Amino acid sequence: MSNDEVIVLKQHCLALELRSDPIKGRGVFTKERLVRNTLVEISPILLFNEEEYASHGKYTILDQYTYCWQGGYALALGLGSMFNHDSSPNVGFIRDIPNKLIRYVTLRDIEKEEELCISYGNHLWFEDDSNDQTQVSSDEDEPFPFAADDD
Ligand SMILES: C[S@@+](CC[C@H](N)C(=O)[O-])C[C@H]1O[C@@H](n2cnc3c(N)ncnc32)[C@H](O)[C@@H]1O
């Protein structure tokens, strides 16, 4: 995929697209207006246990993608790994531990052409390029290992 190529996700029932940004990399955008509480994605997860993650995963690119999970760390398959961070997110996520899924739901109405973003929490490992950098506390929902471990 070249940097400016748009991938239309035809298999998805919502009109979502992956677009690339020179700083943030790939991100998820909507081509249609979405109302609050719309389920935009269900991602099955791949679970790495604590030992496996500590020995291997954390030394790889996985460390930029994995969510803290009961018993280890989880890689969201599908679009779940493509949501960029915004400190005022328009999408929330809910871990379904027994079913090993993450559900992503809109937190407000979202206009056509907006990027869909989640919050990674307050402990970022990169310079935040989101538009509104107001800090919000989301301690209960720190998705990434850096956020949980590096204090
Ligand atoms: C879970 S990935 C998101 C998908 C990623 N953009 C890609 O192309 O694979 C997390 C990475 O995206 C980038 N990223 C996400 N949100 C960002 C933001 N607000 N500002 C700058 N970089 C961001 C960072 O490089 C981060 O390590």
Side-chain angles (χ1 to χ4, degrees), residues 23-27 64-65 81-86 120 125-130 144:
I23 296 169
K24 296 196 284 182
R26 294 161 296 176
Q64 293 179 33
Y65 289 82
S81 281
M82 289 295 106
F83 293 106
N84 284 324
H85 164 82
D86 196 302
Y120 296 0
W125 58 96
F126 52 85
E127 197 170 332
D128 185 2
D129 195 52
S130 56
F144 295 96

Side-chain angles (χ1 to χ4, degrees), residues 2 17 20-21 24-25 56 63 79 86 89 93 98 111 119 122-123:
S2 71
E17 286 182 349
S20 218
D21 173 86
K24 296 196 284 182
H56 307 288
D63 217 32
L79 281 189
D86 196 302
F93 59 89
E111 299 307 321
S119 170
N122 289 331
H123 306 277

Side-chain angles (χ1 to χ4, degrees), residues 26-137:
R26 294 161 296 176
V28 183
F29 288 75
T30 180
K31 294 287 290 177
E32 64 180 297
R33 187 172 190 276
L34 302 173
V35 295
R36 184 170 181 265
N37 277 334
T38 301
L39 179 68
V40 291
E41 172 73 357
I42 302 176
S43 290
I45 61 101
L46 194 58
L47 182 60
F48 298 87
N49 68 41
E50 304 266 8
E51 191 279 323
E52 187 176 26
Y53 198 80
S55 307
H56 307 288
K58 69 183 281 191
Y59 301 108
T60 72
I61 196 169
L62 282 177
D63 217 32
Q64 293 179 33
Y65 289 82
T66 41
Y67 291 63
C68 295
W69 200 267
Q70 192 177 303
Y73 294 93
L75 178 69
L77 302 175
L79 281 189
S81 281
M82 289 295 106
F83 293 106
N84 284 324
H85 164 82
D86 196 302
S87 50
S88 300
N90 52 17
V91 171
F93 59 89
I94 305 141
R95 295 174 182 83
D96 178 343
I97 305 280
N99 290 313
K100 294 197 177 134
L101 298 173
I102 305 175
R103 292 187 175 77
Y104 297 85
V105 178
T106 56
L107 297 173
R108 60 166 171 81
D109 294 352
I110 301 178
E111 299 307 321
K112 191 176 163 179
E113 305 300 340
E114 272 192 75
E115 182 174 6
L116 306 187
C117 291
I118 61 173
S119 170
Y120 296 0
N122 289 331
H123 306 277
L124 301 177
W125 58 96
F126 52 85
E127 197 170 332
D128 185 2
D129 195 52
S130 56
N131 297 328
D132 174 5
Q133 301 196 5
T134 313
Q135 289 295 295
V136 288
S137 178

